[in-house]
Amino acid sequence: MLKIAFIHPDLGIGGAERLVVDAALGLQNLGHQVDIYTSHHDPNHCFEETKDGRLKVHNIVPPFPRAINGKFHILFAHLRQLHLTASLLSPGAPKYDVFFVDQLSTCIPLLRAIGHTRVVFYCHFPDKLLANGEFIEDPISRAQRNMLKGGLLKRIYRYPMDWLEEITTRQADVILANSNFTGRVFKDNFPSIRRTPEVVYPGINIVAYEATQDSSNDPDVAAILSDRPTLISLNRFEKKKNVALAVEAFARIRAQEPDSANLRLVLGGGYDPRLEDNMLTLYSLIDLVSKKHSLSYNVITPSSPKAVKIPPLNTTLENPAVLFVLNFTTAQRTTLLMSPSTIGLLYTPANEHFGIVPVEGMICGVPVLACDSGGPVESIVDEPAEERTGWLRAPNPEIWTEALRQIVDLGEEERSKMRERAKKRARKMFGMEAMANGIENALKEAVDMGKVQSRVTLWLVVAIMCLLFALRWA
């Protein structure tokens, strides 16, 4: 049995958080002891496993804000993680056999140099490539976009942050990536790191999707139920997720196909009112739905007393064409995926690092339409048609409308065959057990390297200075 500490910056609702939760549960099922450390954990905006006792979460509240006037996010992210690390390395803190770190690598040299403990780092995607919005794979186009979006001051600000990301990531004993796509991008953009990340696909708790649950008395579930044919999109409300693509394709097929006038679109995802991007994205989608396409809509949140408060809107309570579900519960998510009225899942991000949502759709037998780039290319089979588990299409509304037409027109026999193919692929490649075993092997590989030896190096001096700085602010 290993004693493992997970370090994750913000334990909210998202794909990275879902991986952390499922990885921790999987490792516990293998007999290991797991603690999760985070700088932010809101019981009203988190996965239920992190608050119902199944996982032990330590919320180390930092003295630093997330940002100032929407700026300096990455700087404060580093400071918040340094504060968290100082707590982990303080006298009397629990000792661990190995650390599992993801998203931010700032703490890695400290954990090794001062804590003398091995570290496994899981790369979802290099932060340096996301600073100016969604990732563009073509380096020339990306450089042009960065020049337009980032002025001289921002480039000066980002340079040390990007340098810090690379040199701290390099200190990890084992590096993992969530897909071959991410691993390739990692190698191309971190030239000083000669190792190729090992790929461990995110996995899902298949049993949770296959178990029969009685949610008939759950008011949150009742609020989303409908017999109307339904398309669903599950993404955080962030601009880079491009949920507008789903709205555009949905509006077109309703306008072009008389038989599709009864179609419903459910847009569910994590929503944090602290984040300007979340607010702007939500309201831009509402404008797109109601003003551009004249579609009725409603916005709902879970019935928690501390649920997100939404200002009054011109909503339609009965049978809206588009339903926004903010911070959906696990029961709501499962119901949407398992409902017989759900006929398709729309996954809109381009160049997504992996994308767990298409896998969730596949294990539930829902036809998935995703962009033809990034991680979904590895999870979804589009061709040949007789092996299809979903559709991969360029992020163009007209192209997506045609794919939606194929999904809507699927006969029951072909839909049933596709359902079985999708479930079989998801079970084989993306089960939680496969992920947990892959991460366990990486953790054991790190532990087998032995204890990190104490050496008075430049890294140690820098690490101690950073730790003292964090402790002073704490």
Side-chain angles (χ1 to χ4, degrees), residues 204-213 363 433:
I204 60 174
N205 185 3
I206 293 173
V207 175
Y209 294 90
E210 295 181 333
T212 302
Q213 299 179 347
I363 197 60
E433 295 79 8

Side-chain angles (χ1 to χ4, degrees), residues 43-292:
N44 297 302
H45 182 70
C46 65
F47 289 112
E48 291 173 20
E49 297 93 334
T50 66
K51 63 179 179 180
D52 64 7
R54 278 179 280 178
L55 291 172
K56 189 174 182 180
V57 176
H58 305 265
N59 184 18
I60 311 300
V61 181
F64 310 106
R66 291 175 61 97
I68 295 178
N69 295 327
K71 306 293 184 182
F72 307 110
H73 287 92
I74 187 62
L75 174 62
F76 284 110
H78 288 313
L79 293 175
R80 288 160 71 92
Q81 188 169 84
L82 285 174
H83 174 267
L84 174 60
T85 308
S87 175
L88 268 168
L89 297 177
S90 62
K95 302 298 181 183
Y96 295 94
D97 298 313
V98 62
F99 289 100
F100 180 88
V101 178
D102 75 314
Q103 285 197 329
L104 274 178
S105 56
T106 322
C107 62
I108 295 175
L110 293 162
L111 298 173
R112 297 183 79 257
I114 299 176
H116 312 300
T117 305
R118 299 291 177 179
V119 179
V120 173
F121 181 70
Y122 192 97
C123 178
H124 300 280
F125 209 70
D127 178 76
K128 64 189 288 187
L129 299 177
L130 301 175
N132 289 306
E134 66 276 11
F135 173 66
I136 299 175
E137 187 160 15
D138 177 59
I140 297 176
S141 299
R142 185 168 69 243
Q144 292 172 342
R145 189 275 310 273
N146 292 347
M147 288 293 290
L148 291 173
K149 282 196 171 185
L152 178 61
L153 288 179
K154 182 172 184 178
R155 292 198 295 275
I156 293 173
Y157 162 67
R158 281 298 314 189
Y159 183 82
M161 301 300 158
D162 297 345
W163 173 82
L164 182 66
E165 180 183 16
E166 183 165 350
I167 61 171
T168 54
T169 300
R170 194 171 64 207
Q171 300 300 307
D173 297 289
V174 179
I175 301 174
L176 305 176
N178 59 6
S179 65
N180 290 306
F181 170 72
T182 295
R184 175 170 53 78
V185 172
F186 180 100
K187 284 289 291 180
D188 290 344
N189 290 277
F190 287 146
S192 71
I193 302 178
R194 298 179 181 177
R195 289 171 289 168
T196 300
E198 303 171 30
V199 175
V200 175
Y201 286 123
I204 60 174
N205 185 3
I206 293 173
V207 175
Y209 294 90
E210 295 181 333
T212 302
Q213 299 179 347
D214 182 10
S215 302
S216 57
N217 296 322
D218 187 335
D220 291 329
V221 170
I224 63 171
L225 287 175
S226 174
D227 292 331
R228 296 162 59 192
T230 298
L231 298 167
I232 62 175
S233 171
L234 306 178
N235 273 301
R236 289 191 304 274
F237 287 96
E238 296 177 354
K239 183 179 179 181
K240 68 182 180 181
K241 297 299 184 180
N242 195 24
V243 179
L245 175 62
V247 174
E248 292 285 3
F250 171 76
R252 280 171 167 78
I253 195 167
R254 273 181 57 111
Q256 296 172 10
E257 299 286 339
D259 292 342
S260 299
N262 197 37
L263 266 182
R264 181 178 73 139
L265 175 63
V266 177
L267 303 176
Y271 176 80
D272 190 338
R274 299 174 302 155
L275 304 180
E276 182 181 28
D277 183 25
N278 281 198
M279 290 191 292
L280 293 176
T281 299
L282 175 62
Y283 288 107
S284 69
L285 288 170
I286 290 174
D287 285 346
L288 182 64
V289 167
S290 60
K291 295 180 179 179
K292 180 177 178 180

Side-chain angles (χ1 to χ4, degrees), residues 415-458:
R415 189 177 291 274
S416 178
K417 290 179 179 179
M418 185 178 296
R419 182 184 301 119
E420 292 307 311
R421 290 195 296 266
K423 286 185 174 184
K424 182 178 179 180
R425 181 173 175 81
R427 289 192 192 100
K428 179 180 179 180
M429 296 185 63
F430 306 110
M432 193 165 73
E433 295 79 8
M435 175 186 65
N437 287 331
I439 293 177
E440 181 190 46
N441 290 338
L443 294 168
K444 287 182 175 179
E445 178 185 345
V447 170
D448 288 345
M449 295 177 184
K451 195 171 184 179
V452 179
Q453 299 300 311
S454 298
R455 290 184 298 174
V456 180
T457 63
L458 176 62

Side-chain angles (χ1 to χ4, degrees), residues 13 18 21 27 32 36 53 62 90 95 121 135 157 180 240-241 279 297 303 326 340 366 381 411 437 442 449 461:
I13 297 176
R18 188 68 253 172
V21 169
L27 290 167
H32 303 293
I36 301 178
S90 62
K95 302 298 181 183
F121 181 70
F135 173 66
Y157 162 67
N180 290 306
K240 68 182 180 181
K241 297 299 184 180
M279 290 191 292
Y297 72 95
S303 54
L326 311 186
V366 179
V381 176
N437 287 331
M449 295 177 184
V461 174

